[in-house]
Amino acid sequence: MTKRLHLSLSDLQSRLSPFEPEEARWAIEDCLLGRISPAIAIARMVLATGSAEETEALVDAAEREWEPPVPAALTQLIRLLRKNRRGCHQIAEMLNEHPDPHHRFASPEEGIETCREFFDRAVDRSEEASVAAWSLGDPRLLGKGTKEVVDLFERWRLLGPGRRTLEIGCGIGRLEAALAPWVAEAHGIDISPKMIEAARRRCAGLPNVFLSLGSGRDLAGFSDGGLDLVFAVDSFPYIRNVGWDLADAHFREAARVLCPGGDFVLLNFSYRDDTATDVSEVRFLARAHGFEVETAGQRPFRFWDGVAFHLRRSGPSPPAPLPEGEG
């Protein structure tokens, strides 16, 4: 029988304290404590180190901290990393070009264009990694994360044969393809022409999937009250990073295109790693634009680490003023 190891935070911190950068060390700790999946841990380490080679060196060093048996989560992480070396190189290159989440753009136009150029380059490197660094470029891993999202939508009763859905930032169309059997219409928009090109190829033959290039500023082209579900999976952080006004505009637009009682779902609102502030801002925008908050700040996934917000349209949508302290 395999010996089961008991891991404590103090033990992990003692073993891993020399490891740098600290963000990479935290990723290993969180993985070994079961807080995040090995795939998420690898993506975080690559982001922290900027290198697939340095990430592998850190993992090898972590393995040497234990006499056999090595913790099961660390064994899984090592196997996944070695199996996906090429994908880790791709995400390292991609993340090194990622727009700085702390940068303030001179205008929404500058921010939107920066994101458009980044995603056009990213999808050329790896379609899977361009929409989810944690996929490590592996279609199987991306499919696993995609299924988690569809399963959540089913639990929240957001799907059905008469439902019309819209994804803001649809990327390569992975969710449109997955939702097509469950809804009447699955619409997706993206600011990246190359993303839309990939999405159309992947969704070819699905007559209820509709994909189009968006401006990044609004939901023009969709009629008032014509949709049952609007959602954004890991795309709203880019909108929020461009600026408060653009986030406000998308809440206003979501309220406009949703039918009464329609659902607005955000899986990640920002990348600032401050859930309390995200919850506060989402509640502020929801109140300003006539949404009731059903869920705010939950982490409902096992494989992915997305933070979930579920709003329901309930009333009119007046313009939202800038929250106190926002510059």
Side-chain angles (χ1 to χ4, degrees), residues 304-326:
W304 184 41
D305 62 344
V307 180
F309 300 85
H310 175 203
L311 315 178
R312 182 160 288 139
R313 182 174 178 259
S314 60
S317 53
L322 202 65
E324 185 176 350
E326 180 71 28

PDB file of all heavy atoms in Angstrom, residues 304-326:
ATOM      1  N   TRP A 304      -9.659  24.421 -12.936  1.00  0.00           N
ATOM      2  CA  TRP A 304      -9.331  25.811 -13.229  1.00  0.00           C
ATOM      3  C   TRP A 304      -9.500  26.634 -11.951  1.00  0.00           C
ATOM      4  O   TRP A 304     -10.204  26.229 -11.016  1.00  0.00           O
ATOM      5  CB  TRP A 304     -10.256  26.315 -14.346  1.00  0.00           C
ATOM      6  CG  TRP A 304      -9.989  27.703 -14.823  1.00  0.00           C
ATOM      7  CD1 TRP A 304      -8.791  28.280 -15.036  1.00  0.00           C
ATOM      8  CD2 TRP A 304     -10.970  28.691 -15.154  1.00  0.00           C
ATOM      9  NE1 TRP A 304      -8.946  29.570 -15.482  1.00  0.00           N
ATOM     10  CE2 TRP A 304     -10.277  29.845 -15.558  1.00  0.00           C
ATOM     11  CE3 TRP A 304     -12.370  28.709 -15.140  1.00  0.00           C
ATOM     12  CZ2 TRP A 304     -10.933  31.009 -15.948  1.00  0.00           C
ATOM     13  CZ3 TRP A 304     -13.020  29.855 -15.531  1.00  0.00           C
ATOM     14  CH2 TRP A 304     -12.302  30.999 -15.935  1.00  0.00           C
ATOM     15  N   ASP A 305      -8.881  27.823 -11.882  1.00  0.00           N
ATOM     16  CA  ASP A 305      -8.965  28.648 -10.673  1.00  0.00           C
ATOM     17  C   ASP A 305      -9.792  29.913 -10.895  1.00  0.00           C
ATOM     18  O   ASP A 305      -9.615  30.908 -10.190  1.00  0.00           O
ATOM     19  CB  ASP A 305      -7.564  29.022 -10.171  1.00  0.00           C
ATOM     20  CG  ASP A 305      -6.767  29.845 -11.176  1.00  0.00           C
ATOM     21  OD1 ASP A 305      -7.157  29.875 -12.368  1.00  0.00           O
ATOM     22  OD2 ASP A 305      -5.754  30.462 -10.786  1.00  0.00           O
ATOM     23  N   GLY A 306     -10.716  29.895 -11.852  1.00  0.00           N
ATOM     24  CA  GLY A 306     -11.520  31.066 -12.147  1.00  0.00           C
ATOM     25  C   GLY A 306     -12.438  31.465 -11.002  1.00  0.00           C
ATOM     26  O   GLY A 306     -12.925  30.619 -10.250  1.00  0.00           O
ATOM     27  N   VAL A 307     -12.655  32.776 -10.875  1.00  0.00           N
ATOM     28  CA  VAL A 307     -13.551  33.334  -9.856  1.00  0.00           C
ATOM     29  C   VAL A 307     -14.866  33.708 -10.539  1.00  0.00           C
ATOM     30  O   VAL A 307     -14.872  34.432 -11.538  1.00  0.00           O
ATOM     31  CB  VAL A 307     -12.924  34.571  -9.186  1.00  0.00           C
ATOM     32  CG1 VAL A 307     -13.867  35.149  -8.137  1.00  0.00           C
ATOM     33  CG2 VAL A 307     -11.578  34.204  -8.559  1.00  0.00           C
ATOM     34  N   ALA A 308     -15.980  33.219 -10.005  1.00  0.00           N
ATOM     35  CA  ALA A 308     -17.265  33.301 -10.697  1.00  0.00           C
ATOM     36  C   ALA A 308     -18.168  34.389 -10.135  1.00  0.00           C
ATOM     37  O   ALA A 308     -18.283  34.569  -8.915  1.00  0.00           O
ATOM     38  CB  ALA A 308     -17.978  31.954 -10.608  1.00  0.00           C
ATOM     39  N   PHE A 309     -18.834  35.086 -11.080  1.00  0.00           N
ATOM     40  CA  PHE A 309     -19.858  36.078 -10.769  1.00  0.00           C
ATOM     41  C   PHE A 309     -21.075  35.775 -11.636  1.00  0.00           C
ATOM     42  O   PHE A 309     -20.948  35.648 -12.853  1.00  0.00           O
ATOM     43  CB  PHE A 309     -19.362  37.494 -11.058  1.00  0.00           C
ATOM     44  CG  PHE A 309     -18.151  37.890 -10.259  1.00  0.00           C
ATOM     45  CD1 PHE A 309     -16.876  37.567 -10.700  1.00  0.00           C
ATOM     46  CD2 PHE A 309     -18.284  38.575  -9.061  1.00  0.00           C
ATOM     47  CE1 PHE A 309     -15.753  37.910  -9.966  1.00  0.00           C
ATOM     48  CE2 PHE A 309     -17.173  38.933  -8.320  1.00  0.00           C
ATOM     49  CZ  PHE A 309     -15.901  38.603  -8.773  1.00  0.00           C
ATOM     50  N   HIS A 310     -22.237  35.668 -11.023  1.00  0.00           N
ATOM     51  CA  HIS A 310     -23.483  35.395 -11.749  1.00  0.00           C
ATOM     52  C   HIS A 310     -24.488  36.478 -11.390  1.00  0.00           C
ATOM     53  O   HIS A 310     -24.857  36.635 -10.228  1.00  0.00           O
ATOM     54  CB  HIS A 310     -24.030  34.012 -11.366  1.00  0.00           C
ATOM     55  CG  HIS A 310     -25.350  33.688 -11.972  1.00  0.00           C
ATOM     56  ND1 HIS A 310     -26.210  32.750 -11.430  1.00  0.00           N
ATOM     57  CD2 HIS A 310     -25.986  34.197 -13.069  1.00  0.00           C
ATOM     58  CE1 HIS A 310     -27.306  32.673 -12.173  1.00  0.00           C
ATOM     59  NE2 HIS A 310     -27.190  33.552 -13.163  1.00  0.00           N
ATOM     60  N   LEU A 311     -24.891  37.238 -12.409  1.00  0.00           N
ATOM     61  CA  LEU A 311     -25.844  38.333 -12.231  1.00  0.00           C
ATOM     62  C   LEU A 311     -27.097  38.029 -13.041  1.00  0.00           C
ATOM     63  O   LEU A 311     -27.048  37.316 -14.037  1.00  0.00           O
ATOM     64  CB  LEU A 311     -25.237  39.653 -12.701  1.00  0.00           C
ATOM     65  CG  LEU A 311     -23.791  39.955 -12.268  1.00  0.00           C
ATOM     66  CD1 LEU A 311     -23.333  41.270 -12.860  1.00  0.00           C
ATOM     67  CD2 LEU A 311     -23.672  39.969 -10.755  1.00  0.00           C
ATOM     68  N   ARG A 312     -28.212  38.608 -12.604  1.00  0.00           N
ATOM     69  CA  ARG A 312     -29.464  38.430 -13.347  1.00  0.00           C
ATOM     70  C   ARG A 312     -30.109  39.793 -13.585  1.00  0.00           C
ATOM     71  O   ARG A 312     -30.235  40.602 -12.654  1.00  0.00           O
ATOM     72  CB  ARG A 312     -30.410  37.511 -12.581  1.00  0.00           C
ATOM     73  CG  ARG A 312     -31.719  37.224 -13.292  1.00  0.00           C
ATOM     74  CD  ARG A 312     -32.389  35.977 -12.756  1.00  0.00           C
ATOM     75  NE  ARG A 312     -31.671  34.772 -13.166  1.00  0.00           N
ATOM     76  CZ  ARG A 312     -31.442  33.719 -12.367  1.00  0.00           C
ATOM     77  NH1 ARG A 312     -31.866  33.734 -11.125  1.00  0.00           N
ATOM     78  NH2 ARG A 312     -30.791  32.664 -12.820  1.00  0.00           N
ATOM     79  N   ARG A 313     -30.495  40.044 -14.823  1.00  0.00           N
ATOM     80  CA  ARG A 313     -31.077  41.337 -15.180  1.00  0.00           C
ATOM     81  C   ARG A 313     -32.444  41.498 -14.530  1.00  0.00           C
ATOM     82  O   ARG A 313     -33.308  40.646 -14.633  1.00  0.00           O
ATOM     83  CB  ARG A 313     -31.218  41.459 -16.696  1.00  0.00           C
ATOM     84  CG  ARG A 313     -31.781  42.805 -17.142  1.00  0.00           C
ATOM     85  CD  ARG A 313     -31.774  42.932 -18.657  1.00  0.00           C
ATOM     86  NE  ARG A 313     -32.349  44.205 -19.062  1.00  0.00           N
ATOM     87  CZ  ARG A 313     -33.583  44.363 -19.510  1.00  0.00           C
ATOM     88  NH1 ARG A 313     -34.383  43.312 -19.595  1.00  0.00           N
ATOM     89  NH2 ARG A 313     -34.021  45.549 -19.865  1.00  0.00           N
ATOM     90  N   SER A 314     -32.605  42.653 -13.864  1.00  0.00           N
ATOM     91  CA  SER A 314     -33.859  42.859 -13.142  1.00  0.00           C
ATOM     92  C   SER A 314     -34.522  44.194 -13.413  1.00  0.00           C
ATOM     93  O   SER A 314     -35.697  44.359 -13.120  1.00  0.00           O
ATOM     94  CB  SER A 314     -33.613  42.745 -11.633  1.00  0.00           C
ATOM     95  OG  SER A 314     -32.665  43.724 -11.211  1.00  0.00           O
ATOM     96  N   GLY A 315     -33.801  45.170 -13.944  1.00  0.00           N
ATOM     97  CA  GLY A 315     -34.418  46.484 -14.087  1.00  0.00           C
ATOM     98  C   GLY A 315     -33.694  47.361 -15.076  1.00  0.00           C
ATOM     99  O   GLY A 315     -32.918  46.900 -15.901  1.00  0.00           O
ATOM    100  N   PRO A 316     -33.920  48.686 -15.029  1.00  0.00           N
ATOM    101  CA  PRO A 316     -33.307  49.621 -15.972  1.00  0.00           C
ATOM    102  C   PRO A 316     -31.811  49.725 -15.752  1.00  0.00           C
ATOM    103  O   PRO A 316     -31.279  49.283 -14.746  1.00  0.00           O
ATOM    104  CB  PRO A 316     -34.015  50.946 -15.663  1.00  0.00           C
ATOM    105  CG  PRO A 316     -34.409  50.815 -14.227  1.00  0.00           C
ATOM    106  CD  PRO A 316     -34.765  49.369 -14.038  1.00  0.00           C
ATOM    107  N   SER A 317     -31.141  50.369 -16.707  1.00  0.00           N
ATOM    108  CA  SER A 317     -29.682  50.447 -16.633  1.00  0.00           C
ATOM    109  C   SER A 317     -29.197  51.880 -16.774  1.00  0.00           C
ATOM    110  O   SER A 317     -28.798  52.307 -17.845  1.00  0.00           O
ATOM    111  CB  SER A 317     -29.053  49.579 -17.726  1.00  0.00           C
ATOM    112  OG  SER A 317     -29.593  49.908 -18.980  1.00  0.00           O
ATOM    113  N   PRO A 318     -29.217  52.652 -15.672  1.00  0.00           N
ATOM    114  CA  PRO A 318     -28.684  54.015 -15.723  1.00  0.00           C
ATOM    115  C   PRO A 318     -27.166  53.985 -15.790  1.00  0.00           C
ATOM    116  O   PRO A 318     -26.542  52.976 -15.455  1.00  0.00           O
ATOM    117  CB  PRO A 318     -29.155  54.613 -14.387  1.00  0.00           C
ATOM    118  CG  PRO A 318     -29.239  53.434 -13.472  1.00  0.00           C
ATOM    119  CD  PRO A 318     -29.686  52.287 -14.333  1.00  0.00           C
ATOM    120  N   PRO A 319     -26.528  55.084 -16.248  1.00  0.00           N
ATOM    121  CA  PRO A 319     -25.070  55.118 -16.294  1.00  0.00           C
ATOM    122  C   PRO A 319     -24.467  55.026 -14.907  1.00  0.00           C
ATOM    123  O   PRO A 319     -25.034  55.541 -13.934  1.00  0.00           O
ATOM    124  CB  PRO A 319     -24.764  56.468 -16.952  1.00  0.00           C
ATOM    125  CG  PRO A 319     -25.979  57.295 -16.698  1.00  0.00           C
ATOM    126  CD  PRO A 319     -27.131  56.349 -16.706  1.00  0.00           C
ATOM    127  N   ALA A 320     -23.348  54.362 -14.780  1.00  0.00           N
ATOM    128  CA  ALA A 320     -22.700  54.196 -13.484  1.00  0.00           C
ATOM    129  C   ALA A 320     -21.638  55.251 -13.272  1.00  0.00           C
ATOM    130  O   ALA A 320     -20.764  55.424 -14.116  1.00  0.00           O
ATOM    131  CB  ALA A 320     -22.065  52.809 -13.394  1.00  0.00           C
ATOM    132  N   PRO A 321     -21.679  55.991 -12.139  1.00  0.00           N
ATOM    133  CA  PRO A 321     -20.603  56.936 -11.848  1.00  0.00           C
ATOM    134  C   PRO A 321     -19.343  56.179 -11.452  1.00  0.00           C
ATOM    135  O   PRO A 321     -19.381  54.986 -11.188  1.00  0.00           O
ATOM    136  CB  PRO A 321     -21.171  57.725 -10.660  1.00  0.00           C
ATOM    137  CG  PRO A 321     -22.099  56.778  -9.986  1.00  0.00           C
ATOM    138  CD  PRO A 321     -22.694  55.957 -11.095  1.00  0.00           C
ATOM    139  N   LEU A 322     -18.224  56.888 -11.452  1.00  0.00           N
ATOM    140  CA  LEU A 322     -16.952  56.299 -11.045  1.00  0.00           C
ATOM    141  C   LEU A 322     -17.008  55.988  -9.554  1.00  0.00           C
ATOM    142  O   LEU A 322     -17.442  56.836  -8.755  1.00  0.00           O
ATOM    143  CB  LEU A 322     -15.820  57.288 -11.323  1.00  0.00           C
ATOM    144  CG  LEU A 322     -14.409  56.737 -11.468  1.00  0.00           C
ATOM    145  CD1 LEU A 322     -14.338  55.842 -12.713  1.00  0.00           C
ATOM    146  CD2 LEU A 322     -13.422  57.871 -11.577  1.00  0.00           C
ATOM    147  N   PRO A 323     -16.617  54.766  -9.122  1.00  0.00           N
ATOM    148  CA  PRO A 323     -16.635  54.487  -7.696  1.00  0.00           C
ATOM    149  C   PRO A 323     -15.614  55.329  -6.964  1.00  0.00           C
ATOM    150  O   PRO A 323     -14.606  55.758  -7.518  1.00  0.00           O
ATOM    151  CB  PRO A 323     -16.266  52.990  -7.631  1.00  0.00           C
ATOM    152  CG  PRO A 323     -15.513  52.739  -8.880  1.00  0.00           C
ATOM    153  CD  PRO A 323     -16.101  53.660  -9.906  1.00  0.00           C
ATOM    154  N   GLU A 324     -15.857  55.556  -5.687  1.00  0.00           N
ATOM    155  CA  GLU A 324     -14.998  56.416  -4.885  1.00  0.00           C
ATOM    156  C   GLU A 324     -13.571  55.864  -4.869  1.00  0.00           C
ATOM    157  O   GLU A 324     -13.349  54.668  -4.667  1.00  0.00           O
ATOM    158  CB  GLU A 324     -15.516  56.478  -3.450  1.00  0.00           C
ATOM    159  CG  GLU A 324     -14.746  57.453  -2.570  1.00  0.00           C
ATOM    160  CD  GLU A 324     -15.355  57.559  -1.195  1.00  0.00           C
ATOM    161  OE1 GLU A 324     -16.463  57.040  -0.988  1.00  0.00           O
ATOM    162  OE2 GLU A 324     -14.723  58.187  -0.329  1.00  0.00           O
ATOM    163  N   GLY A 325     -12.611  56.708  -5.137  1.00  0.00           N
ATOM    164  CA  GLY A 325     -11.219  56.304  -5.135  1.00  0.00           C
ATOM    165  C   GLY A 325     -10.689  55.853  -6.469  1.00  0.00           C
ATOM    166  O   GLY A 325      -9.511  55.600  -6.634  1.00  0.00           O
ATOM    167  N   GLU A 326     -11.550  55.727  -7.487  1.00  0.00           N
ATOM    168  CA  GLU A 326     -11.101  55.267  -8.801  1.00  0.00           C
ATOM    169  C   GLU A 326     -10.611  56.460  -9.605  1.00  0.00           C
ATOM    170  O   GLU A 326     -11.342  57.452  -9.763  1.00  0.00           O
ATOM    171  CB  GLU A 326     -12.255  54.579  -9.533  1.00  0.00           C
ATOM    172  CG  GLU A 326     -11.884  54.073 -10.892  1.00  0.00           C
ATOM    173  CD  GLU A 326     -10.954  52.882 -10.831  1.00  0.00           C
ATOM    174  OE1 GLU A 326     -11.000  52.148  -9.852  1.00  0.00           O
ATOM    175  OE2 GLU A 326     -10.152  52.729 -11.762  1.00  0.00           O
TER     176      GLU A 326
END
